[in-house]
mmCIF file of all heavy atoms in Angstrom:
data_model
loop_
_atom_site.group_PDB
_atom_site.id
_atom_site.type_symbol
_atom_site.label_atom_id
_atom_site.label_comp_id
_atom_site.label_asym_id
_atom_site.label_seq_id
_atom_site.Cartn_x
_atom_site.Cartn_y
_atom_site.Cartn_z
ATOM 1 N N THR C 267 -18.136 -12.107 -11.354
ATOM 2 C CA THR C 267 -18.147 -11.184 -10.134
ATOM 3 C C THR C 267 -16.623 -10.779 -10.025
ATOM 4 O O THR C 267 -15.776 -11.574 -10.043
ATOM 5 C CB THR C 267 -18.581 -11.988 -8.822
ATOM 6 O OG1 THR C 267 -19.888 -12.528 -9.160
ATOM 7 C CG2 THR C 267 -18.546 -11.047 -7.706
ATOM 8 N N LYS C 268 -16.458 -9.440 -9.692
ATOM 9 C CA LYS C 268 -15.157 -8.998 -9.385
ATOM 10 C C LYS C 268 -14.601 -9.728 -8.169
ATOM 11 O O LYS C 268 -15.315 -9.940 -7.193
ATOM 12 C CB LYS C 268 -15.172 -7.476 -9.132
ATOM 13 C CG LYS C 268 -15.232 -6.719 -10.409
ATOM 14 C CD LYS C 268 -14.777 -5.319 -10.296
ATOM 15 C CE LYS C 268 -14.861 -4.613 -11.620
ATOM 16 N NZ LYS C 268 -14.481 -3.269 -11.577
ATOM 17 N N ALA C 269 -13.336 -10.198 -8.256
ATOM 18 C CA ALA C 269 -12.826 -11.129 -7.229
ATOM 19 C C ALA C 269 -12.903 -10.480 -5.767
ATOM 20 O O ALA C 269 -13.179 -11.231 -4.890
ATOM 21 C CB ALA C 269 -11.255 -11.438 -7.557
ATOM 22 N N PRO C 270 -12.650 -9.194 -5.693
ATOM 23 C CA PRO C 270 -12.803 -8.617 -4.203
ATOM 24 C C PRO C 270 -14.176 -8.744 -3.591
ATOM 25 O O PRO C 270 -14.379 -8.687 -2.397
ATOM 26 C CB PRO C 270 -12.367 -7.201 -4.359
ATOM 27 C CG PRO C 270 -11.541 -7.166 -5.646
ATOM 28 C CD PRO C 270 -12.160 -8.164 -6.473
ATOM 29 N N MET C 271 -15.194 -9.007 -4.419
ATOM 30 C CA MET C 271 -16.579 -9.189 -3.889
ATOM 31 C C MET C 271 -16.800 -10.507 -3.240
ATOM 32 O O MET C 271 -17.843 -10.738 -2.567
ATOM 33 C CB MET C 271 -17.611 -9.031 -4.991
ATOM 34 C CG MET C 271 -17.424 -7.603 -5.658
ATOM 35 S SD MET C 271 -17.768 -6.329 -4.531
ATOM 36 C CE MET C 271 -19.406 -6.434 -4.118
ATOM 37 N N ILE C 272 -15.808 -11.464 -3.363
ATOM 38 C CA ILE C 272 -15.910 -12.790 -2.768
ATOM 39 C C ILE C 272 -15.175 -12.649 -1.485
ATOM 40 O O ILE C 272 -13.976 -12.762 -1.420
ATOM 41 C CB ILE C 272 -15.412 -13.920 -3.689
ATOM 42 C CG1 ILE C 272 -15.989 -13.847 -5.018
ATOM 43 C CG2 ILE C 272 -15.505 -15.219 -2.947
ATOM 44 C CD1 ILE C 272 -17.499 -14.038 -5.148
ATOM 45 N N PRO C 273 -15.880 -12.582 -0.294
ATOM 46 C CA PRO C 273 -15.217 -12.361 0.983
ATOM 47 C C PRO C 273 -14.227 -13.457 1.370
ATOM 48 O O PRO C 273 -13.098 -13.136 1.896
ATOM 49 C CB PRO C 273 -16.358 -12.289 2.044
ATOM 50 C CG PRO C 273 -17.534 -12.144 1.318
ATOM 51 C CD PRO C 273 -17.323 -12.606 -0.158
ATOM 52 N N GLU C 274 -14.432 -14.694 0.882
ATOM 53 C CA GLU C 274 -13.582 -15.754 1.253
ATOM 54 C C GLU C 274 -12.161 -15.696 0.636
ATOM 55 O O GLU C 274 -11.197 -16.408 0.998
ATOM 56 C CB GLU C 274 -14.215 -17.142 0.994
ATOM 57 C CG GLU C 274 -15.427 -17.415 1.918
ATOM 58 C CD GLU C 274 -16.763 -16.716 1.275
ATOM 59 O OE1 GLU C 274 -16.675 -16.034 0.285
ATOM 60 O OE2 GLU C 274 -17.855 -16.972 1.885
ATOM 61 N N LEU C 275 -12.001 -14.777 -0.418
ATOM 62 C CA LEU C 275 -10.694 -14.615 -1.027
ATOM 63 C C LEU C 275 -9.786 -13.713 -0.177
ATOM 64 O O LEU C 275 -8.603 -13.692 -0.370
ATOM 65 C CB LEU C 275 -10.899 -14.112 -2.417
ATOM 66 C CG LEU C 275 -11.480 -14.983 -3.461
ATOM 67 C CD1 LEU C 275 -11.595 -14.279 -4.798
ATOM 68 C CD2 LEU C 275 -10.634 -16.260 -3.586
ATOM 69 N N GLY C 276 -10.406 -13.083 0.783
ATOM 70 C CA GLY C 276 -9.538 -12.254 1.653
ATOM 71 C C GLY C 276 -8.922 -11.076 1.072
ATOM 72 O O GLY C 276 -8.011 -10.421 1.534
ATOM 73 N N MET C 277 -9.588 -10.517 -0.030
ATOM 74 C CA MET C 277 -9.116 -9.287 -0.670
ATOM 75 C C MET C 277 -9.766 -8.149 0.048
ATOM 76 O O MET C 277 -10.606 -7.430 -0.492
ATOM 77 C CB MET C 277 -9.427 -9.380 -2.123
ATOM 78 C CG MET C 277 -8.795 -10.516 -2.894
ATOM 79 S SD MET C 277 -9.234 -10.636 -4.567
ATOM 80 C CE MET C 277 -8.135 -9.411 -5.264
ATOM 81 N N ASP C 278 -9.264 -7.816 1.260
ATOM 82 C CA ASP C 278 -9.865 -6.863 2.181
ATOM 83 C C ASP C 278 -9.107 -5.641 2.337
ATOM 84 O O ASP C 278 -9.525 -4.722 3.086
ATOM 85 C CB ASP C 278 -10.030 -7.522 3.558
ATOM 86 C CG ASP C 278 -10.894 -8.754 3.507
ATOM 87 O OD1 ASP C 278 -11.811 -8.861 2.680
ATOM 88 O OD2 ASP C 278 -10.677 -9.738 4.347
ATOM 89 N N TYR C 279 -7.865 -5.423 1.804
ATOM 90 C CA TYR C 279 -7.045 -4.362 2.050
ATOM 91 C C TYR C 279 -6.811 -3.400 0.982
ATOM 92 O O TYR C 279 -6.524 -3.881 -0.172
ATOM 93 C CB TYR C 279 -5.714 -4.861 2.638
ATOM 94 C CG TYR C 279 -5.911 -5.648 3.848
ATOM 95 C CD1 TYR C 279 -6.074 -7.060 3.786
ATOM 96 C CD2 TYR C 279 -6.061 -5.064 5.146
ATOM 97 C CE1 TYR C 279 -6.302 -7.809 4.928
ATOM 98 C CE2 TYR C 279 -6.376 -5.738 6.208
ATOM 99 C CZ TYR C 279 -6.519 -7.166 6.099
ATOM 100 O OH TYR C 279 -6.737 -7.856 7.308
ATOM 101 N N LEU C 280 -6.892 -2.165 1.193
ATOM 102 C CA LEU C 280 -6.582 -1.087 0.199
ATOM 103 C C LEU C 280 -5.247 -0.480 0.615
ATOM 104 O O LEU C 280 -4.987 -0.107 1.771
ATOM 105 C CB LEU C 280 -7.679 0.053 0.339
ATOM 106 C CG LEU C 280 -7.738 1.024 -0.724
ATOM 107 C CD1 LEU C 280 -8.087 0.322 -2.106
ATOM 108 C CD2 LEU C 280 -8.865 1.973 -0.443
ATOM 109 N N VAL C 281 -4.312 -0.545 -0.316
ATOM 110 C CA VAL C 281 -2.939 -0.082 -0.082
ATOM 111 C C VAL C 281 -2.701 1.348 -0.503
ATOM 112 O O VAL C 281 -2.974 1.604 -1.728
ATOM 113 C CB VAL C 281 -1.867 -1.021 -0.839
ATOM 114 C CG1 VAL C 281 -0.443 -0.635 -0.455
ATOM 115 C CG2 VAL C 281 -2.157 -2.439 -0.475
ATOM 116 N N GLU C 282 -2.216 2.249 0.348
ATOM 117 C CA GLU C 282 -1.964 3.588 -0.108
ATOM 118 C C GLU C 282 -0.499 3.648 -0.650
ATOM 119 O O GLU C 282 0.498 3.790 0.008
ATOM 120 C CB GLU C 282 -2.005 4.580 1.122
ATOM 121 C CG GLU C 282 -1.949 6.007 0.689
ATOM 122 C CD GLU C 282 -2.215 6.912 1.915
ATOM 123 O OE1 GLU C 282 -2.870 6.483 2.833
ATOM 124 O OE2 GLU C 282 -1.688 8.040 1.755
ATOM 125 N N VAL C 283 -0.457 3.387 -1.969
ATOM 126 C CA VAL C 283 0.817 3.341 -2.652
ATOM 127 C C VAL C 283 1.547 4.653 -2.673
ATOM 128 O O VAL C 283 2.740 4.775 -2.480
ATOM 129 C CB VAL C 283 0.694 2.831 -4.144
ATOM 130 C CG1 VAL C 283 2.057 2.757 -4.812
ATOM 131 C CG2 VAL C 283 0.043 1.499 -4.124
ATOM 132 N N SER C 284 0.765 5.784 -2.826
ATOM 133 C CA SER C 284 1.322 7.176 -2.737
ATOM 134 C C SER C 284 0.249 8.035 -2.186
ATOM 135 O O SER C 284 -0.881 7.529 -1.997
ATOM 136 C CB SER C 284 1.934 7.601 -3.977
ATOM 137 O OG SER C 284 0.912 7.776 -4.961
ATOM 138 N N ALA C 285 0.524 9.310 -1.990
ATOM 139 C CA ALA C 285 -0.548 10.185 -1.469
ATOM 140 C C ALA C 285 -1.856 10.212 -2.223
ATOM 141 O O ALA C 285 -2.901 10.496 -1.702
ATOM 142 C CB ALA C 285 0.065 11.544 -1.346
ATOM 143 N N ASP C 286 -1.688 9.971 -3.574
ATOM 144 C CA ASP C 286 -2.857 10.031 -4.341
ATOM 145 C C ASP C 286 -3.138 8.779 -5.181
ATOM 146 O O ASP C 286 -3.863 8.805 -6.186
ATOM 147 C CB ASP C 286 -2.849 11.264 -5.257
ATOM 148 C CG ASP C 286 -1.664 11.184 -6.209
ATOM 149 O OD1 ASP C 286 -0.721 10.384 -5.991
ATOM 150 O OD2 ASP C 286 -1.620 11.971 -7.192
ATOM 151 N N GLN C 287 -2.507 7.622 -4.769
ATOM 152 C CA GLN C 287 -2.588 6.441 -5.564
ATOM 153 C C GLN C 287 -2.890 5.238 -4.634
ATOM 154 O O GLN C 287 -2.144 5.082 -3.676
ATOM 155 C CB GLN C 287 -1.391 6.123 -6.399
ATOM 156 C CG GLN C 287 -1.460 4.927 -7.314
ATOM 157 C CD GLN C 287 -0.150 4.762 -8.073
ATOM 158 O OE1 GLN C 287 0.832 5.435 -7.875
ATOM 159 N NE2 GLN C 287 -0.278 3.811 -8.942
ATOM 160 N N TYR C 288 -3.962 4.543 -4.856
ATOM 161 C CA TYR C 288 -4.258 3.378 -4.082
ATOM 162 C C TYR C 288 -4.347 2.132 -4.937
ATOM 163 O O TYR C 288 -4.563 2.155 -6.122
ATOM 164 C CB TYR C 288 -5.614 3.482 -3.437
ATOM 165 C CG TYR C 288 -5.674 4.723 -2.373
ATOM 166 C CD1 TYR C 288 -5.853 5.965 -2.843
ATOM 167 C CD2 TYR C 288 -5.468 4.395 -1.035
ATOM 168 C CE1 TYR C 288 -5.912 6.989 -1.857
ATOM 169 C CE2 TYR C 288 -5.427 5.467 -0.055
ATOM 170 C CZ TYR C 288 -5.625 6.691 -0.557
ATOM 171 O OH TYR C 288 -5.649 7.786 0.431
ATOM 172 N N TYR C 289 -4.102 0.954 -4.216
ATOM 173 C CA TYR C 289 -4.304 -0.310 -4.953
ATOM 174 C C TYR C 289 -5.061 -1.213 -4.153
ATOM 175 O O TYR C 289 -4.916 -1.336 -2.927
ATOM 176 C CB TYR C 289 -2.858 -0.976 -5.225
ATOM 177 C CG TYR C 289 -2.924 -2.326 -5.823
ATOM 178 C CD1 TYR C 289 -2.960 -2.341 -7.183
ATOM 179 C CD2 TYR C 289 -3.007 -3.422 -5.099
ATOM 180 C CE1 TYR C 289 -3.100 -3.533 -7.923
ATOM 181 C CE2 TYR C 289 -3.176 -4.756 -5.859
ATOM 182 C CZ TYR C 289 -3.090 -4.725 -7.150
ATOM 183 O OH TYR C 289 -3.215 -5.867 -7.838
ATOM 184 N N GLY C 290 -6.049 -1.946 -4.701
ATOM 185 C CA GLY C 290 -6.896 -2.839 -4.000
ATOM 186 C C GLY C 290 -8.288 -2.752 -4.449
ATOM 187 O O GLY C 290 -8.647 -2.003 -5.347
ATOM 188 N N PRO C 291 -9.132 -3.472 -3.641
ATOM 189 C CA PRO C 291 -8.764 -4.230 -2.349
ATOM 190 C C PRO C 291 -7.988 -5.461 -2.848
ATOM 191 O O PRO C 291 -8.200 -6.086 -3.894
ATOM 192 C CB PRO C 291 -10.160 -4.622 -1.810
ATOM 193 C CG PRO C 291 -11.058 -4.294 -2.852
ATOM 194 C CD PRO C 291 -10.517 -3.390 -3.850
ATOM 195 N N THR C 292 -7.016 -5.821 -1.990
ATOM 196 C CA THR C 292 -6.183 -6.961 -2.205
ATOM 197 C C THR C 292 -5.908 -7.743 -0.921
ATOM 198 O O THR C 292 -6.393 -7.442 0.112
ATOM 199 C CB THR C 292 -4.925 -6.499 -2.945
ATOM 200 O OG1 THR C 292 -4.183 -7.601 -3.439
ATOM 201 C CG2 THR C 292 -4.005 -5.742 -1.987
ATOM 202 N N THR C 293 -5.104 -8.799 -1.104
ATOM 203 C CA THR C 293 -4.724 -9.668 0.050
ATOM 204 C C THR C 293 -3.489 -9.132 0.742
ATOM 205 O O THR C 293 -2.776 -8.392 0.208
ATOM 206 C CB THR C 293 -4.586 -11.082 -0.426
ATOM 207 O OG1 THR C 293 -3.396 -11.146 -1.300
ATOM 208 C CG2 THR C 293 -5.811 -11.648 -1.101
ATOM 209 N N LEU C 294 -3.261 -9.744 1.952
ATOM 210 C CA LEU C 294 -2.099 -9.458 2.649
ATOM 211 C C LEU C 294 -0.836 -10.038 1.834
ATOM 212 O O LEU C 294 0.247 -9.529 1.979
ATOM 213 C CB LEU C 294 -2.130 -9.946 4.081
ATOM 214 C CG LEU C 294 -3.040 -9.254 5.004
ATOM 215 C CD1 LEU C 294 -3.043 -9.878 6.382
ATOM 216 C CD2 LEU C 294 -2.695 -7.739 5.114
ATOM 217 N N GLY C 295 -1.070 -11.122 1.103
ATOM 218 C CA GLY C 295 -0.066 -11.686 0.272
ATOM 219 C C GLY C 295 0.410 -10.684 -0.762
ATOM 220 O O GLY C 295 1.719 -10.559 -1.048
ATOM 221 N N ALA C 296 -0.465 -9.906 -1.343
ATOM 222 C CA ALA C 296 -0.081 -8.864 -2.378
ATOM 223 C C ALA C 296 0.630 -7.728 -1.624
ATOM 224 O O ALA C 296 1.590 -7.176 -2.183
ATOM 225 C CB ALA C 296 -1.353 -8.338 -2.967
ATOM 226 N N VAL C 297 0.250 -7.447 -0.405
ATOM 227 C CA VAL C 297 0.956 -6.391 0.344
ATOM 228 C C VAL C 297 2.320 -6.840 0.621
ATOM 229 O O VAL C 297 3.381 -6.130 0.466
ATOM 230 C CB VAL C 297 0.192 -6.150 1.668
ATOM 231 C CG1 VAL C 297 1.041 -5.193 2.627
ATOM 232 C CG2 VAL C 297 -1.171 -5.538 1.390
#
């Protein structure tokens, strides 16, 4: 299973790295 699909991992955030580039979903630790 893709890791972000496990809610308990806390990979809940999508980071807007630039106007057209996103990273995530990831954790606040990655942020």
Side-chain angles (χ1 to χ4, degrees):
T267 302
K268 285 198 176 178
M271 300 301 292
I272 308 296
E274 294 83 358
L275 289 179
M277 298 179 77
D278 300 330
Y279 299 94
L280 194 60
V281 183
E282 187 175 335
V283 180
S284 66
D286 59 346
Q287 185 180 9
Y288 293 87
Y289 181 84
T292 193
T293 63
L294 290 175
V297 173

